[in-house]
Amino acid sequence: MRTVIGVGTMLWLVAAAVVLLTGAPPLVVTTCLVGAGLGGVGWAIFAWQRAAARRGSRTAQSGLEP
């Protein structure tokens, strides 16, 4: 799952770079940057839940360990 989140976030960053270089409208650039930001938030939540699962928290999601 970590790889999927990382690849998706990197694709949003690549898209942002491409649209910046091609002179796309600001809304398109903003959309790409927000997508990358949400990918970062998703990565942080995944890491937080994985740490909780490792320490044995009752409220942690299950199935996060490889």
Side-chain angles (χ1 to χ4, degrees):
M1 186 57 111
R2 185 177 10 175
T3 304
V4 172
I5 297 171
V7 168
T9 302
M10 293 308 280
L11 287 174
W12 278 113
L13 290 173
V14 168
V18 168
V19 297
L20 277 172
L21 292 174
T22 59
L27 181 62
V28 177
V29 176
T30 304
T31 301
C32 291
L33 293 176
V34 168
L38 286 174
V41 169
W43 190 314
I45 290 172
F46 181 77
W48 175 40
Q49 284 293 318
R50 190 168 184 188
R54 283 186 175 167
R55 70 174 179 268
S57 178
R58 292 184 317 145
T59 59
Q61 294 180 6
S62 61
L64 297 177
E65 290 299 317

